[in-house]
Amino acid sequence: MAHYAFLDENNIVTQVIVGRNENEVVQGISDWETHYANFRGQPCIRTSYNNNIRKQFAQPGFYYDSIRDEFVSLKPYDSWILDANNDWKAPVDKPAIETGEYRWDEATLSWILFYNL
Amino acid sequence: MPSFTRNTSGGASVSGGALAPRSRRGNTNQADAYWRGGGGASFSSEYLAINGGNGSTQTGIQGGTGGRWIEGSQTFTVGTAFTLTVGAANSISVCGISDGSTTPTGGTLYLGSGGSQSGNGDYNLGHDGGGGGGGAGGNGGNGSLNQGATGGAGRATSITGSSATYAGGGGGASARNGGGTSQAAGGSGGAGTGSNYNYGCAQGTNGSANTGSGGGGNAYCTHTTGGSGRVVLAYLSSNGPLASIDAGLTYSLSTVSRSGYHVYTFTGGTGPIIP
């Protein structure tokens, strides 16, 4: 099985389906992106459940960056910005420590450390 | 070959040529309609459409909800195209009418609610276990202190002739340094377990493919993905097999699993079928 994402006119993913494998030939058809796109009347591009292509597995609402050929995930917090690698980044870098975990706190725009969960 | 002119209004071309049974199969509505003069004959089919399940989000401790489950009966008109779509995670499965944009009316919807997280509801305090995701057969449990809850149960169906359970909710996430917590189980039907953080991650798991079940909740770990959905059609064998199934659809047909019925199980793709 392969997965395919349908895009709207703004390159936003509207639906993801499971479909034919990209190298599978059925009734003489092997270009499944085109086949599904023609049927639905929407651009259709393949996405990988295991994140092997186009950066990450597409989900409804994701944006497709056609220049980098990557899917961009939903913005996790209002204050975060998209970096050059199509990753969302907090306005403040996450501190690097060896133990404990940080969690972003949007209310204070800072990272909060949990030593004892 | 009869000499009358066939009325093909409402028909559609299909791969391999015009819509026409290759032979006059004995006693099927499809063939009878063709030889009588085309469209108009109809028959009823049971259907089950399960959406792809939801996974956890990057910031969500609640288990993913199982996919929307809708079942009922649908009237097929012989020769009229009907669209099916099998949704991946977080996407709808459609057992639609002609244009594929709608779901048959009159069906029954099953979708459980997710449980809530525990305590004071302030996840940033880090003391709340995640609620289990809702399943088609039940709601997810509420998380307790540090411990995620079991996901909601999936729902059983016997549309294929034997019982199977799908669309369970994912287990909620747990987190406590020093131990004492565990990975919360997903609901029945292939749902994922929640993560458990204890100075490191025991990662939650995804919903199983084609079950429409949710993925486990995530706390300080990597988010999960729900399982893809499925669509099942079952109708009386006297109506014969479907005349055409688009090449983009992946399916299996059983004429023996449920006595007297043709049972089609679609596990991938989008495209038209023609009864």
Side-chain angles (χ1 to χ4, degrees), chain A residues 1 3 6 14-20 24 26-27 29 32 35-36 39-40 49 56-60 76-77 99-106 112 114-117, chain B residues 15 58-60 83 85-92 123-126 146 175-177 197 206-207 220 225-226 228 245-250 267-272:
Chain A
M1 282 292 185
H3 291 77
F6 290 98
T14 61
Q15 188 182 30
V16 182
I17 66 164
V18 287
R20 296 282 186 187
E24 193 174 359
V26 180
Q27 297 175 19
I29 300 168
W32 298 106
H35 181 82
Y36 291 133
F39 172 66
R40 294 284 289 268
Y49 185 81
Q56 56 198 320
F57 184 46
Q59 299 281 291
Y77 299 99
T99 60
E101 280 292 328
Y102 282 96
R103 193 113 189 144
W104 178 253
D105 181 34
E106 182 70 2
I112 294 178
F114 299 115
Y115 287 107
N116 298 300
L117 294 169
Chain B
S15 59
Q58 292 285 9
T59 57
T83 292
T85 298
V86 180
N90 300 331
S91 286
I92 61 171
Y123 176 54
N124 281 328
L125 292 178
N146 303 316
R176 184 176 184 275
N177 286 331
Y197 187 91
N206 298 331
Y220 312 105
T225 303
S228 52
I245 299 174
D246 186 80
L249 288 164
T250 304
T267 54
T270 183

Side-chain angles (χ1 to χ4, degrees), chain A residues 5-12 14-15 17 32-45, chain B residues 83 85 98-101 270-272:
Chain A
F6 290 98
L7 308 176
D8 69 9
E9 64 277 14
N10 296 313
N11 276 5
I12 301 298
T14 61
Q15 188 182 30
I17 66 164
W32 298 106
E33 289 181 339
T34 299
H35 181 82
Y36 291 133
N38 288 342
F39 172 66
R40 294 284 289 268
Q42 271 184 283
C44 175
I45 55 177
Chain B
T83 292
T85 298
S98 300
D99 65 357
S101 63
T270 183

Side-chain angles (χ1 to χ4, degrees), chain A residues 8 23 26 30 32 37 40 48 52 57 59 61 64 66 77-78 81 86 90-91 94 99-100 106 109 111:
Chain A
D8 69 9
N23 54 1
V26 180
S30 59
W32 298 106
R40 294 284 289 268
S48 168
N52 292 328
F57 184 46
Q59 299 281 291
Y64 173 62
S66 59
Y77 299 99
D78 286 345
I81 56 175
N86 274 339
K94 187 176 182 178
T99 60
E106 182 70 2
L109 299 180
W111 291 95

Side-chain angles (χ1 to χ4, degrees), chain B residues 31-149:
Chain B
D32 286 348
Y34 176 81
W35 293 105
R36 280 202 319 267
S42 62
F43 61 90
S44 180
S45 174
E46 298 172 27
Y47 72 88
L48 167 63
I50 304 174
N51 287 5
N54 297 299
S56 65
T57 65
Q58 292 285 9
T59 57
I61 61 175
Q62 190 178 61
T65 302
R68 184 193 67 161
W69 171 303
I70 186 166
E71 64 184 33
S73 64
Q74 172 65 41
T75 299
F76 286 142
T77 299
V78 174
T80 300
F82 192 95
T83 292
L84 295 180
T85 298
V86 180
N90 300 331
S91 286
I92 61 171
S93 293
V94 174
C95 184
I97 301 171
S98 300
D99 65 357
S101 63
T102 57
T103 296
T105 56
T108 304
L109 173 68
Y110 297 93
L111 180 65
S113 297
S116 64
Q117 60 196 52
S118 71
N120 54 20
D122 184 355
Y123 176 54
N124 281 328
L125 292 178
H127 291 296
D128 295 336
N139 297 330
N142 295 325
S144 56
L145 184 64
N146 303 316
Q147 176 63 48

